[in-house]
Amino acid sequence: MKKITVIGAGLVGATSVYSMMLKEIADEIALVDIDDKRSNAEVWDIRHGFPEISKTIVKKGTYQDCADSDVIVITAGVARKVGESRNDLLIKNSKIMEGICTEIKNTNTNAIVVVVSNPVDVLANHAAKFLDLPKGRVFGTGCTLDTSRMVALLAEKLNKPASSINAPVVGEHGDEQIVLWDEVTIDGKPANFTEEEKKQLAEDVKRAGMTIIEGKGKTYYGIATTVCAIASAVLLDRPMKYAVSVPNQNEEKALSMLCTIAKDGIIEEFPYK
Ligand code: NAD
């Protein structure tokens, strides 16, 4: 049986559960939150979907569900408001992360742990240190979302299907992110942008999260399908190259680089120069 536990039943957690349920990548998904009423409500709402849509069972969970989970996704914590940076969430979310990791560790799980809560790079580093699981089993979603944002932007600009575009973004999930322009391809061919266009595109991707927050208060659909893609690579053991944040205990934060993700988490890293 394939099982996922999602910690945090907020918009990011619930939408991640919803997208993973639709994709049927696990037999069971447990949703855990300190707010019982909220997790109950989200589970009910998702379970009330049309029966033939998915065979995946979604249930309200407890930390004990982590024990036999293949993947644990941590989305608990406060989210940014208009004008806030991801780093503004650090103090509050570090405390929350510490508490959650203590609970997870007590279950002796050997799951792959995917950190989503922000600031994701710092919190992925904290979680890896706390959980002390074998290398590659704890990491952050990092710049996987920024990469899909860049692909979406280019698809729209060039009027091309997203599937024809490769446009990796690495480094920080924040202002210090880097577009690997030498690796950007459209229909398998190198991209041809002026320096001015590159600068604008990179800026638009950096600003994308806040632009969405200014428009509707929160971001969740993009990250939910990002979580689903990462969890699929693990659960279906279909190796995929994603720009996830790789914990490094010699640094204050994990940074994203392209990595191959499969059943055992990060199985190969491709550091950028
Ligand atoms: P939200 O406020 O809707 O939900 C947060 C949930 O966490 C709440 O249900 C709350 O009860 C729960 N929670 C708080 N403390 C908890 C604890 N100790 N144990 C269990 N649950 C706890 O927030 P959201 O919009 O779902 O965002 C969640 C996080 O995801 C934020 O930190 C946000 O910044 C982050 N995020 C990350 C990315 C990314 O690319 N990495 C993208 C979007 C959002």
Side-chain angles (χ1 to χ4, degrees):
M1 186 181 89
K2 295 204 163 110
K3 180 170 173 182
I4 304 168
T5 296
V6 175
I7 319 282
L11 281 164
V12 172
T15 319
S16 297
V17 172
Y18 186 61
S19 64
M20 294 189 289
M21 176 277 290
L22 288 176
K23 276 293 211 183
E24 296 186 306
I25 61 172
D27 300 290
E28 188 175 289
I29 308 177
L31 184 58
V32 180
D33 199 289
I34 37 163
D35 182 344
D36 238 34
K37 225 170 147 186
R38 184 161 185 173
S39 49
N40 248 332
E42 289 295 2
V43 166
W44 263 52
D45 200 7
I46 294 170
R47 281 179 84 147
H48 296 171
F50 199 69
E52 280 153 39
I53 289 292
S54 170
K55 289 193 260 323
T56 299
I57 292 168
V58 175
K59 65 167 199 181
K60 188 165 99 68
T62 66
Y63 280 101
Q64 216 33 56
D65 283 294
C66 295
D68 61 348
S69 284
D70 302 281
V71 173
I72 298 169
V73 181
I74 308 179
T75 73
V78 290
R80 284 194 293 165
K81 296 189 187 71
V82 174
E84 280 185 325
S85 80
R86 294 179 181 93
N87 291 330
D88 291 332
L89 313 174
L90 181 60
I91 296 176
K92 255 195 190 153
N93 285 353
S94 291
K95 255 206 167 129
I96 292 174
M97 185 59 70
E98 227 176 279
I100 289 170
C101 287
T102 306
E103 298 275 7
I104 294 176
K105 203 170 163 64
N106 286 340
T107 69
N108 288 320
T109 185
N110 193 34
I112 303 302
V113 179
V114 183
V115 176
V116 183
S117 316
N118 272 319
V120 63
D121 301 321
V122 184
L123 296 184
N125 235 14
H126 283 358
K129 191 173 177 184
F130 238 86
L131 294 169
D132 197 27
L133 285 165
K135 189 170 158 33
R137 299 190 83 79
V138 183
F139 54 89
T141 51
C143 289
T144 319
L145 177 58
D146 308 279
T147 300
S148 0
R149 283 176 172 157
M150 178 58 91
V151 169
L153 220 83
L154 291 175
E156 196 178 345
K157 183 178 166 73
L158 305 170
N159 197 19
K160 289 268 182 188
S163 56
S164 68
I165 298 167
N166 182 43
V169 179
V170 297
E172 189 198 28
H173 176 55
D175 286 346
E176 304 302 314
Q177 61 188 228
I178 302 158
V179 183
L180 295 181
W181 287 110
D182 289 348
E183 295 190 30
V184 175
T185 56
I186 321 285
D187 289 330
K189 296 183 197 86
N192 212 353
F193 295 111
T194 64
E195 289 310 311
E196 201 49 45
E197 281 175 315
K198 286 181 188 174
K199 205 172 147 202
Q200 189 59 52
L201 284 161
E203 202 45 47
D204 289 348
V205 170
K206 261 184 224 171
R207 281 271 317 148
M210 191 44 74
T211 306
I212 296 168
I213 291 170
E214 283 163 1
K216 62 172 204 168
K218 285 281 184 77
T219 72
Y220 41 94
Y221 292 123
I223 185 61
T225 52
T226 297
V227 166
C228 182
I230 293 171
S232 301
V234 175
L235 286 158
L236 310 179
D237 197 15
R238 278 198 202 132
M240 293 299 291
K241 227 168 158 184
Y242 294 134
V244 294
S245 48
V246 183
N248 176 353
Q249 297 315 328
N250 300 321
E251 303 287 342
E252 158 205 354
K253 58 174 116 168
L255 287 179
S256 289
M257 63 179 93
L258 285 169
C259 293
T260 306
I261 310 290
K263 183 165 81 44
D264 292 319
I266 297 176
I267 58 165
E268 202 177 1
E269 297 173 8
F270 302 89
Y272 55 94
K273 288 156 202 123

